[in-house]
Amino acid sequence: MKPSDPYSGFIRVRVAGLYIENSKLLLVKLKSPITSEFIWTPPGGGVNFKETLSEALVREFEEETSLKVSIEHFHNTSELIKDSFHILEFYYVVKKIDGILKLGTDPEHSSEEQLLSDIGFFTKAEIQTMNVKPEFLKNINF
């Protein structure tokens, strides 16, 4: 694993929140550490050692969106294995408790190395034309 590749060479556990408002799904745009392309994906991130999935989701969601959320229910899992990357992802439907939406940051990256670049709500029709990951997002009902 290269020092510039902090997500490769081990099984990474990631959690993400599906937040729907006014029939639109909240997504963040980020530069994929796997492909280096820009993708849209639900807010979330890595689970730390001795941190529960729900604790990680609440923390990561607030870091990336400035929103405090609670978990409604489990939705789906996804697994990605590509080259030196192996990622297990857990998706939960979340509900907003408090906060004003704004693009946050990843504290594990310097300001010059931030992966996040945009945030927004999108309809099912809009999602069909976007580079969203994982692919199941193009088929979810909301």
Side-chain angles (χ1 to χ4, degrees), residues 45-80:
V47 178
N48 295 324
F49 183 67
K50 292 196 172 185
E51 183 178 45
T52 67
L53 293 173
S54 58
E55 290 167 343
L57 177 53
V58 168
R59 176 185 52 77
E60 285 284 349
F61 209 93
E62 187 170 6
E63 287 174 2
E64 294 187 2
T65 70
S66 298
L67 299 178
K68 293 182 183 189
V69 296
S70 64
I71 296 174
E72 295 276 289
H73 62 270
F74 174 76
H75 185 275
N76 199 11
T77 59
S78 177
E79 182 175 32
L80 173 68

Side-chain angles (χ1 to χ4, degrees), residues 70-138:
S70 64
I71 296 174
E72 295 276 289
H73 62 270
F74 174 76
H75 185 275
N76 199 11
T77 59
S78 177
E79 182 175 32
L80 173 68
I81 301 173
K82 181 175 177 158
D83 302 324
S84 64
F85 296 92
H86 187 173
I87 303 167
L88 298 174
E89 298 177 303
F90 297 84
Y91 291 86
Y92 292 85
V93 173
V94 298
K95 177 179 154 183
K96 177 182 163 184
I97 297 173
D98 193 24
I100 297 171
L101 180 66
K102 74 173 189 172
L103 182 65
T105 60
D106 282 316
E108 61 268 20
H109 293 283
S110 70
S111 58
E112 297 82 29
E113 296 175 330
Q114 287 294 305
L115 301 178
L116 298 169
S117 66
D118 202 358
I119 191 168
F121 284 97
F122 301 94
T123 65
K124 285 190 231 182
E126 290 169 323
I127 288 171
Q128 297 305 310
T129 65
M130 298 166 62
N131 186 17
V132 296
K133 301 292 182 206
E135 287 292 320
F136 82 81
L137 294 170
K138 290 191 176 189

Side-chain angles (χ1 to χ4, degrees), residues 2-62:
K2 302 180 297 188
S4 61
D5 243 348
Y7 303 112
S8 68
F10 64 98
I11 298 174
R12 181 167 192 246
V13 178
R14 186 176 181 279
V15 64
L18 303 172
Y19 175 53
I20 298 156
E21 183 175 289
N22 299 321
S23 299
K24 294 182 177 184
L25 179 64
L26 180 64
L27 298 172
V28 293
K29 183 179 182 183
L30 59 84
K31 186 174 184 181
S32 169
I34 299 168
T35 64
S36 294
E37 67 182 345
F38 283 97
I39 63 170
W40 288 92
T41 193
V47 178
N48 295 324
F49 183 67
K50 292 196 172 185
E51 183 178 45
T52 67
L53 293 173
S54 58
E55 290 167 343
L57 177 53
V58 168
R59 176 185 52 77
E60 285 284 349
F61 209 93
E62 187 170 6

